[in-house]
Amino acid sequence: MKIFLSFLQSKIQHPIPAYSFWEYYIKNGITEAGCQYIECDDVDWARGLVQQSDQEFQDWKSFTWSRVLKQVKEKGADLFLSYLYPQQIDESAIRELKKMGVFCVNFFCDHVRLYRSVPKAFHVFDLNWVPEYKAIKFYQKAGLNYLNLPMPMWVEPKYRSFNKTENNQVSFIGSKDIQRHILFDTLIKHNPERIVNIYGSDWLNNDRLSTISASSARQKILNQLAFIRQNGFYAYANKIRSRSYKAPSAWALNRFFKGKPDFENYIKITKESNITIGVNRYPSFNYPLQKPNTYSRLRDIEAPMLGACYLTEWTEGIDELYETGKEIVTYTSAEELDEQCSRLLADEKIRMQLREAGQKRALSDHSISTSIQKIIEHIT
């Protein structure tokens, strides 16, 4: 199977949220699946997400898709596999690929946070790789072909061994956002004796939830109208209410902040912590601040693959990925998070059983190799 790959590849680091890991995971996963990937070396896929002028963006789009079509015509491909946002997609180019006999599949993992239905541009694909359980209903309503497959995660074979070493830590690794801050603040208020080592960037930055930039009254009104058109009045009302909300002070959590670990320590902390915590809630004006929405994140695949004793926030679909209680453990509130920590810390045997069973399930059922095979089976 020859796969033409468009997965945010770029030779430079753009000022947009982290993305280079996707290329690393998917390329290694495809190779491990016994398939071949090809790509356009001179195409910068991530640049399509960079803020730029309309003309610059159109130039990027024209160049990118002309190069894709040229290379596929010259070298051929069985499958076009992409991670594309709607604005990056050239529907006519995808149709041209399909005419060449190339099966076109798009992976996308931000439906729940960004949209309320399937973006029109996604309709052009033969198949959509949908990792979010809550997004399935979008595709069913639109009558589109989809496969609900896990987030594409790959770990080096040397990290796949079952490890009984523990460091006596309860750990969370992830950058700061308001929902994570509220969760851990509530946890410590519920149990001041609970110790959670928090690793990641921005945790010492105690900014408010949102800031209002200095701009003209006219521009503010235009911005507000644009927000309402995109998100609706309910989200706008939540945004207004959030302005009066004072974010939790960082001082109560300061003693738990450990900074951002490098790659090797990231792996070591995940594998060796007595408990590794996952958080699936996220900031969104579409939901009240104190009742956030959730969806299963990449960490729900990665941590078990590394052999963590994994305690993650319950969300719809997590029970489809794991047998909860035997392969991973879940919580639904800060109070339950504390209770589960106490239970797991008191029982080494359960922790080891969770590590072994969770790792076995993730590596066998949730690997990129398995997902690629399911896509191939769908094609044939």
Side-chain angles (χ1 to χ4, degrees):
M1 175 68 68
K2 183 187 290 187
I3 301 174
F4 188 97
L5 192 63
S6 161
F7 239 75
L8 301 181
Q9 300 103 301
S10 178
K11 294 179 181 178
I12 63 174
Q13 181 59 53
H14 294 290
I16 56 179
Y19 58 88
S20 59
F21 59 87
W22 291 113
E23 176 183 356
Y24 171 75
Y25 294 156
I26 199 70
K27 284 184 174 180
N28 282 288
I30 289 173
T31 300
E32 190 168 81
C35 298
Q36 175 191 0
Y37 67 82
I38 59 174
E39 59 185 334
C40 286
D41 290 333
D42 55 350
V43 167
D44 184 342
W45 288 101
R47 186 166 173 257
L49 299 178
V50 176
Q51 185 174 2
Q52 54 192 303
S53 70
D54 289 344
Q55 186 59 55
E56 288 172 330
F57 178 73
Q58 290 304 319
D59 290 344
W60 168 85
K61 198 170 182 179
S62 176
F63 170 79
T64 295
W65 289 102
S66 64
R67 291 291 295 121
V68 169
L69 292 175
K70 182 175 185 294
Q71 183 155 334
V72 172
K73 286 176 182 177
E74 292 175 352
K75 298 185 177 181
D78 303 303
L79 172 67
F80 177 81
L81 179 60
S82 59
Y83 176 5
L84 294 169
Y85 282 72
Q87 66 271 25
Q88 295 175 289
I89 296 168
D90 184 324
E91 295 181 45
S92 63
I94 297 295
R95 293 191 188 96
E96 189 64 28
L97 288 173
K98 291 163 71 172
K99 288 179 183 178
M100 296 181 202
V102 180
F103 195 86
C104 298
V105 180
N106 191 54
F107 163 82
F108 193 75
C109 60
D110 253 340
H111 300 88
V112 173
R113 290 201 300 177
L114 299 180
Y115 305 114
R116 287 175 284 184
S117 61
V118 180
K120 181 179 177 297
F122 290 173
H123 289 232
V124 73
F125 291 95
D126 293 303
L127 182 68
N128 291 273
W129 177 343
V130 184
E132 303 143 286
Y133 188 83
K134 290 182 177 179
I136 291 175
K137 59 187 178 184
F138 296 173
Y139 285 85
Q140 291 174 336
K141 185 176 180 180
L144 299 176
N145 289 327
Y146 72 90
L147 282 177
N148 177 220
L149 300 171
M151 295 275 195
M153 179 69 220
W154 185 87
V155 300
E156 289 187 63
K158 68 179 181 180
Y159 297 127
R160 299 177 191 178
S161 58
F162 177 59
N163 186 1
K164 293 185 177 181
T165 302
E166 292 188 319
N167 60 16
N168 296 316
Q169 291 187 21
V170 177
S171 302
F172 169 78
I173 306 178
S175 58
K176 174 187 171 183
D177 67 39
I178 187 64
Q179 287 299 341
R180 292 170 175 176
H181 199 162
I182 290 174
L183 174 68
F184 290 118
D185 184 70
T186 305
L187 173 66
I188 300 307
K189 286 178 180 176
H190 172 73
N191 180 3
E193 302 302 316
R194 175 63 62 208
I195 298 175
V196 178
N197 290 308
I198 300 174
Y199 298 86
S201 57
D202 299 328
W203 280 98
L204 289 174
N205 183 349
N206 197 33
D207 288 344
R208 293 173 63 87
L209 175 64
S210 60
T211 58
I212 303 174
S213 61
S215 58
S216 68
R218 179 178 181 277
Q219 187 59 51
K220 287 180 180 179
I221 292 172
L222 292 174
N223 291 341
Q224 290 168 352
L225 291 173
F227 182 91
I228 292 171
R229 281 195 298 271
Q230 180 175 350
N231 301 282
F233 281 101
Y234 181 75
Y236 180 69
N238 284 333
K239 182 178 181 181
I240 296 299
R241 281 192 288 268
S242 74
R243 292 176 181 172
S244 62
Y245 176 79
K246 191 176 186 305
S249 172
W251 72 267
L253 297 175
N254 276 352
R255 59 196 172 105
F256 304 127
F257 299 153
K258 303 298 180 181
K260 184 178 180 180
D262 60 25
F263 179 75
E264 289 298 327
N265 279 318
Y266 177 95
I267 298 294
K268 186 178 178 65
I269 293 164
T270 301
K271 289 178 70 70
E272 297 184 3
S273 292
N274 288 38
I275 301 171
T276 297
I277 294 175
V279 180
N280 284 328
R281 61 187 63 192
Y282 63 93
S284 172
F285 289 124
N286 290 318
Y287 298 88
L289 195 61
Q290 299 299 335
K291 293 183 179 180
N293 192 28
T294 59
Y295 72 98
S296 182
R297 316 296 278 273
L298 183 66
R299 189 72 163 150
D300 288 346
I301 307 299
E302 178 188 38
M305 277 189 175
L306 290 170
C309 173
Y310 193 52
L311 172 57
T312 193
E313 187 167 20
W314 185 89
T315 186
E316 289 181 48
I318 198 75
D319 300 317
E320 302 292 324
L321 292 171
Y322 300 101
E323 186 174 355
T324 55
K326 292 187 177 181
E327 295 169 339
I328 65 167
V329 179
T330 62
Y331 65 90
T332 58
S333 65
E335 293 76 18
E336 188 178 9
L337 171 58
D338 183 56
E339 292 169 6
Q340 294 284 28
C341 283
S342 295
R343 182 176 71 87
L344 292 171
L345 288 173
D347 197 325
E348 181 182 0
K349 182 179 179 180
I350 289 180
R351 295 199 304 272
M352 293 302 161
Q353 289 173 344
L354 287 164
R355 290 178 185 279
E356 188 170 17
Q359 185 176 50
K360 182 178 179 181
R361 179 68 182 277
L363 289 173
S364 62
D365 290 4
H366 307 327
S367 67
I368 293 175
S369 293
T370 300
S371 294
I372 293 294
Q373 184 58 44
K374 289 181 178 179
I375 290 172
I376 293 173
E377 290 172 0
H378 186 90
I379 294 173
T380 57

